[in-house]
Amino acid sequence: MARLLVVDDEPSICWALSRLGQGLGHEVVTASSAEQALELASQQPPDAVVLDVRLPGMDGLTAMQHLRRQSGELPIIIMTAYGDLNTAVEAVRQGAFEYLIKPFDLQAAERAVRRALAGGSQPGPVARAENVAGLVGRSPVMQEAFKRIALAAASDASVLLCGESGTGKELAARAIHRYSRRADGPFVAVNLASLNPSLAESELFGHARGAFTGAEREHLGLLQHADGGTLFLDEVADIPLAAQVKLLRTLEHGEVLPVGAGRPVKSDFRVVSATHQELLAQIRDGRFRHDLYFRLAAFRIDLPPLRQRPDDIRELAEYFLSLAVSRGEPAPGFSADALHQMQQRLWYGNVRELRNAVEHAVIVARGGGIEPDHLPPPAPPIWPAAPAAAGPPKDRLAELIRQWAEIQLAQPGEEGQLYDDLLRAVEPPLLEAVLEKCRGQCAGAARLLGLHRTTLKKKLDQYGVLAAAESES
């Protein structure tokens, strides 16, 4: 039987974790402050600790250091409902065994406690660095992203950042670099979509003198410039297939072969990639190598769109306003109505669109308070553009439905209507397309749809599709 120490000033959390630990067959002691926890640990050292960050008196991260000095390298599970990137990185830097974000699933807590008491390995330290400008937010989804950024920074594995345009993928890549052991090395960023396909290999790998017409001198590629640091491959889905093969070999062997060179050159860099496209769909279409994908995506971080984190909009807007003030522009603040309107928008351009909106409002307000009419009009939804570039039809349909659902959920409406609204949006065009193919014949349309003729006729009557088809014939 192990001894588990739970430290939290919320009685309900202590009670739930006590029941969990006791259900696993262990002794559980609880404390409502860090000072009380240190006293209990001095009397009898625990085998593991579950520790909240925000406590009355001494905070959890400070208590973590005291517990380590007092009780040795015991596993400490950190809990927080108010975490930011600095908190996550500091927790991992100090060797936190796990980082739980409130409200958490008790099953996740149980897994963490089981591993901690089983003697799981501690993560390595993370170098300290300055805050990364722009990574702002305290919503649960952003705290989860901060946690994963901190874990990625503690490792040297390749990282794949996924998310819509404007969600802050490059900021996350810079945070991973700045908090990593490579923080003193270069951060080399390249947008692969902007490279000329015929010159991409030379830009990435460099070339020897005389390698091709016009190569009058040796050229160091970006992979060599990133030696000792981090290479950020933005829009990695756009890397040409020929360069994909060569990049895979470079990642496997740590050697860069410049175009036209006879021997490779050693280069020690860490790769962080980013994409707004689904690489698995690119693999299915033969546009991306599956072996390179698995090499780049050793650790994946999904950055949420702004519409999934409305609670962060106010903090982000005030942060961007502070940037305007730091440039000497007059910006007294947002009115309550302006903040309310910003929190109601869906922000299809994500954080980038919000920043542009704040800068626009500062210019229009001309030193006065920012009101709703100072904000620019909302941007329209950004739907998948070209079918050929958006993946297989089923993937595109699923993505459209997901975006439609997010739009509906973000707006006030009657509960219990979402599924019916989806059917009303999807079924009529489907029925019309099948009827058109079957030249208005219900029997053939029912066979194609897999429906009984009576069911099909009811749906046609419900949506008025049959009457439309008859009027057109």
Side-chain angles (χ1 to χ4, degrees):
M1 182 174 66
R3 180 180 173 88
L4 179 66
L5 172 59
V6 177
V7 190
D8 199 305
D9 60 338
E10 295 183 53
S12 59
I13 297 290
C14 290
W15 177 84
L17 292 176
S18 293
R19 294 292 299 270
L20 188 153
Q22 291 164 2
L24 296 175
H26 303 299
E27 177 190 1
V28 183
V29 291
T30 63
S32 58
S33 68
E35 292 80 3
Q36 184 185 2
L38 291 170
E39 177 64 26
L40 290 171
S42 67
Q43 297 170 7
Q44 186 176 352
D47 297 293
V49 179
V50 185
L51 176 65
D52 191 27
V53 169
R54 184 171 290 191
L55 294 166
M58 184 187 300
D59 67 88
L61 294 180
T62 304
M64 189 174 174
Q65 300 174 29
H66 289 286
L67 282 167
R68 283 276 162 71
R69 285 196 292 267
Q70 183 174 291
S71 304
E73 292 297 319
L74 78 165
I76 299 178
I77 300 168
I78 289 291
M79 302 181 291
T80 182
Y82 305 96
D84 54 17
L85 181 57
N86 288 327
T87 302
V89 169
E90 184 64 17
V92 175
R93 186 190 71 81
Q94 291 190 29
F97 183 84
E98 182 56 273
Y99 187 84
L100 296 177
I101 298 165
K102 295 180 179 179
F104 50 78
D105 189 332
L106 272 180
Q107 290 182 336
E110 179 180 342
R111 289 193 296 270
V113 169
R114 283 184 182 274
R115 289 195 302 110
L117 293 175
S121 60
Q122 297 285 345
V126 180
R128 296 180 65 90
E130 68 273 20
N131 190 20
V132 179
L135 279 177
V136 175
R138 296 182 180 272
S139 61
V141 289
M142 278 309 292
Q143 289 186 48
E144 178 64 27
F146 292 155
K147 169 187 169 181
R148 295 187 70 80
I149 289 170
L151 291 172
S155 166
D156 212 30
S158 298
V159 179
L160 178 64
L161 299 165
C162 299
E164 296 177 8
S165 179
T167 51
K169 295 187 289 296
E170 183 167 347
L171 290 175
R174 291 184 180 275
I176 292 169
H177 172 72
R178 293 186 186 182
Y179 285 115
S180 75
R181 67 175 182 84
R182 297 175 176 269
D184 293 332
F187 179 86
V188 178
V190 53
N191 188 310
L192 293 165
S194 67
L195 294 182
N196 185 322
S198 61
L199 298 177
E201 188 175 349
S202 174
E203 287 295 318
L204 291 172
F205 300 93
H207 62 252
R209 180 181 178 185
F212 49 83
T213 303
E216 298 178 355
R217 55 186 173 183
E218 180 185 11
H219 170 69
L220 289 182
L222 295 169
L223 277 64
Q224 287 177 265
H225 283 297
D227 186 28
T230 301
L231 177 69
F232 175 52
L233 299 176
D234 198 8
E235 300 299 349
V236 72
D238 293 311
I239 184 172
L241 277 171
Q244 291 181 30
V245 178
K246 199 166 182 178
L247 178 60
L248 177 62
R249 180 172 178 78
T250 298
L251 296 178
E252 292 289 350
H253 300 285
E255 296 178 339
V256 178
L257 182 63
V259 177
R263 61 179 62 183
V265 180
K266 287 287 185 182
S267 185
D268 173 27
F269 57 87
R270 193 254 189 97
V271 175
V272 178
S273 307
T275 182
H276 71 279
Q277 302 184 51
E278 182 49 68
L279 289 184
L280 292 177
Q282 301 275 54
I283 291 170
R284 286 192 293 267
D285 290 350
R287 296 196 299 270
F288 203 88
R289 293 180 62 92
H290 71 282
D291 44 7
L292 179 59
Y293 169 80
F294 291 118
R295 191 65 181 81
L296 294 175
F299 191 76
R300 174 169 170 154
I301 301 176
D302 290 289
L303 295 174
L306 189 52
R307 60 185 174 275
Q308 290 182 3
R309 40 186 289 231
D311 293 342
D312 292 338
I313 289 175
R314 177 172 187 156
E315 186 177 358
L316 281 162
E318 290 175 345
Y319 169 75
F320 294 135
L321 187 63
S322 71
L323 294 182
V325 172
S326 68
R327 295 194 299 266
E329 299 181 32
F334 299 100
S335 71
D337 289 342
L339 285 170
H340 177 73
Q341 186 175 124
M342 284 191 287
Q343 289 173 322
Q344 295 303 307
R345 290 194 183 184
L346 295 177
W347 301 108
Y348 296 107
N350 294 299
V351 178
R352 185 181 294 125
E353 182 191 353
L354 175 60
R355 177 172 186 166
N356 290 345
V358 171
E359 291 179 348
H360 177 280
V362 168
I363 294 171
V364 176
R366 301 180 64 186
I370 294 177
E371 299 292 340
D373 58 346
H374 296 145
L375 298 169
I382 304 172
W383 302 105
K394 287 185 179 179
D395 291 345
R396 298 199 303 275
L397 178 60
E399 177 63 17
L400 286 169
I401 292 173
R402 185 186 67 80
Q403 292 187 24
W404 177 87
E406 288 179 354
I407 293 170
Q408 298 304 310
L409 290 169
Q411 300 183 20
E414 287 188 44
E415 293 186 1
Q417 294 296 311
L418 187 62
Y419 184 71
D420 288 339
D421 289 345
L422 175 63
L423 292 182
R424 283 193 292 270
V426 171
E427 285 192 321
L430 173 64
L431 298 177
E432 288 170 1
V434 174
L435 270 178
E436 183 178 346
K437 180 176 178 61
C438 296
R439 299 182 179 181
Q441 298 297 314
C442 286
R447 284 195 300 272
L448 276 178
L449 290 165
L451 297 176
H452 193 278
R453 285 184 63 184
T454 305
T455 303
L456 174 59
K457 286 184 175 180
K458 286 182 180 179
K459 288 185 176 294
L460 294 173
D461 290 340
Q462 176 185 351
Y463 298 120
V465 173
L466 181 60
E470 289 174 343
S471 65
E472 290 174 2
S473 54

